[in-house]
Amino acid sequence: MTHSAFSCHLCGAAALEDIEGYGALNRVTSDCRPWVPGGRLALCTRCGLLQKPVDASWEDETARLYAGYTLYHQGGGKEQAVFDEGGQGGLPRSSKLAEKLRAFLPPRGRLLDIGCGNGAFLRRFAAAFPDWSLSGTELGEAHRREVEAIPQVERVYCGSPDKAPGTFDAVTLIHVLEHVPDPGNFLQIVRRKLNPGGLLMVHVPDHTRNPFDLLIADHCTHFSAGSLRRFLRWCGFTLLSEGTDWVRKETTVLAMPGEAREDTLPFEDPLSSGERGRQSVDWLGALRRQADLLSRDRPSGRGFGLFGTAIAATWLASELHMRFDFFVEEDANRVGKVLMGRPVLHPDSVPDASDVFLPLPAPIAREIRERLEKTRPSVRFHGPDDGASDAPDAL
């Protein structure tokens, strides 16, 4: 069904087509809290982008969601660790991004981190680039004093990026652009804040490698690596580098202001993008059914846990109506905590003869399952490829 009353918030076309079945799924907030079902996911049949229609309902929900927003509450405010293949790394996302930027930035300069939150990235960047001057922007004042206490931070500005005076040698957008209702005009503001030859880093979730991104209620644009590249060119940026391996399931693009805006529509092929969206919704439904059967059919007294404490596990916990016993987590900052009334256990502490479900894209779930089975042979680990035969294996 096409709703011509609502326009694509990227290309402006009145050509949004709903993805059926999405409204039956529970959702989750970007700060990992359960959220009610009933939202909309749509395809722009002109530019090919999957998106949440930015209507009055979405704006109202987002305002209520942000009123209770709490960053990294699972780890007491400490940034989530991200792991490479084989479970290696376990470093905060900001550490990995700051380290990667060493190859692209000079020893001195001025940086603006848009959407700086509680200063996780600015803190890591300051350590990696001690001779840079730093500023940040945020929607509210909640973390201003905390961030301004970081060495090298000049000030945190509340509101739009144009509130920050002057121009900058680098601007970073880390998990920001997917939240912005008018990303095209927003990037024009960002473009004006960059010095000639300045570096823009955009880091977003990639829904083609992580379909759980579609469930995040306050994400209104769902990018892939390809669509993000084309969108930045359309907004007048020249691309310098792309890092789909900087952080798993996410994509990073480095760019600089270009001389002219490029006509790069569509951002994605509408037919393949729409089919991908429908497959992802079907896959999420199949995963939910598989976990539900496992939680119901286990023998009495056999423990059942969910792997992870972020978006996917939070969503599945609500879909199961809390019919499980514990979370399983490898992030040391989260182990030993209580989340949604359930303990967070390290894999080594999971009771023998338990079942653990891994709500992750199939390739990542297989890798983690095979690794953990070697150290915990008495625990049965289940992934979305263990019976969800209707789920596309690429997801």
Side-chain angles (χ1 to χ4, degrees):
M1 180 185 302
T2 300
H3 294 269
S4 58
F6 300 109
S7 297
C8 173
H9 55 260
L10 286 97
C11 75
L16 296 186
E17 182 179 287
D18 279 333
I19 302 295
E20 293 185 7
Y22 179 80
L25 297 170
N26 282 310
R27 292 170 293 162
V28 65
T29 67
S30 60
D31 64 338
C32 298
R33 290 179 287 131
W35 202 251
V36 295
R40 291 174 55 197
L41 178 68
L43 169 75
C44 177
T45 57
R46 178 176 180 241
C47 73
L49 259 292
L50 289 174
Q51 59 193 274
K52 310 282 174 43
V54 180
D55 53 17
S57 176
W58 184 87
E59 290 176 338
D60 176 67
E61 277 198 309
T62 303
R64 289 188 286 113
L65 184 159
Y66 288 155
Y69 207 83
T70 307
L71 275 173
Y72 312 126
H73 62 89
Q74 314 96 308
K78 294 182 179 179
E79 187 181 9
Q80 179 183 4
V82 294
F83 295 85
D84 300 325
E85 290 188 29
Q88 301 300 310
L91 296 173
R93 175 192 294 113
S94 294
S95 292
K96 301 191 75 172
L97 295 177
E99 187 61 32
K100 290 285 189 180
L101 284 174
R102 287 183 184 274
F104 299 94
L105 292 176
R108 291 179 177 80
R110 190 167 183 248
L111 172 121
L112 177 66
D113 183 29
I114 297 174
C116 63
N118 64 1
F121 177 74
L122 287 173
R123 194 170 287 108
R124 304 291 176 175
F125 189 92
F129 294 87
D131 294 322
W132 275 65
S133 175
L134 314 177
S135 295
T137 70
E138 250 308 330
L139 294 177
E141 301 272 353
H143 299 286
R144 179 173 176 173
R145 289 186 179 181
E146 178 184 359
V147 178
E148 290 182 346
I150 299 170
Q152 303 158 232
V153 171
E154 297 176 359
R155 188 175 170 185
V156 174
Y157 300 90
C158 186
S160 171
D162 56 12
K163 300 290 185 182
T167 55
F168 298 84
D169 302 297
V171 173
T172 50
L173 295 170
I174 302 170
H175 281 227
V176 169
L177 197 59
E178 65 271 22
H179 294 260
V180 178
D182 189 358
N185 286 331
F186 182 81
L187 281 181
Q188 296 311 307
I189 297 173
V190 172
R191 194 169 181 265
R192 292 193 293 270
K193 300 309 296 181
L194 277 164
N195 289 325
L199 183 75
L200 171 67
M201 180 177 78
V202 181
H203 182 84
V204 297
D206 186 336
H207 80 89
T208 65
R209 293 186 289 157
N210 181 24
F212 297 100
D213 175 54
L214 302 177
L215 299 167
I216 301 176
D218 49 314
H219 286 186
C220 58
T221 309
H222 300 284
F223 289 103
S224 67
S227 65
L228 179 60
R229 289 195 307 267
R230 295 184 188 98
F231 180 60
L232 286 169
R233 288 201 300 266
W234 187 70
C235 290
F237 287 88
T238 298
L239 305 188
L240 302 176
S241 178
E242 175 193 346
T244 56
D245 59 345
W246 286 23
V247 178
R248 299 185 81 179
K249 303 182 292 182
E250 302 176 357
T251 191
T252 310
V253 174
L254 303 181
M256 61 186 296
E259 294 183 358
R261 178 170 167 145
E262 294 186 24
D263 184 9
T264 55
L265 287 177
F267 305 126
E268 297 272 34
D269 174 67
L271 287 177
S272 61
S273 182
E275 180 60 24
R276 182 75 187 209
R278 287 183 284 273
Q279 285 185 344
S280 292
V281 169
D282 291 344
W283 181 84
L284 289 164
L287 182 144
R288 176 183 61 182
R289 291 190 294 274
Q290 183 192 356
D292 183 69
L293 286 173
L294 283 169
S295 69
R296 291 179 184 275
D297 294 349
R298 56 187 163 129
S300 177
R302 186 177 180 93
F304 183 66
L306 299 180
F307 186 88
T309 55
I311 296 296
T314 301
W315 166 73
L316 191 55
S318 63
E319 289 283 9
L320 296 178
H321 305 286
M322 301 305 295
R323 199 173 49 254
F324 67 102
D325 303 303
F326 49 83
F327 291 96
V328 182
E329 179 61 80
E330 295 182 289
D331 185 339
N333 290 324
R334 301 186 176 194
V335 172
K337 302 287 196 305
V338 175
L339 177 64
M340 300 172 69
R342 300 291 187 270
V344 180
L345 307 179
H346 188 273
D348 293 343
S349 301
V350 172
D352 290 340
S354 293
D355 291 286
V356 175
F357 189 80
L358 292 86
L360 295 163
I364 297 176
R366 281 195 297 269
E367 173 202 309
I368 294 174
R369 186 189 66 218
E370 291 168 1
R371 173 167 56 82
L372 294 180
E373 284 174 342
K374 295 176 182 177
T375 59
R376 294 305 316 276
S378 64
V379 177
R380 294 196 304 182
F381 295 92
H382 307 267
D385 52 342
D386 299 339
S389 59
D390 55 339
D393 188 63
L395 294 175

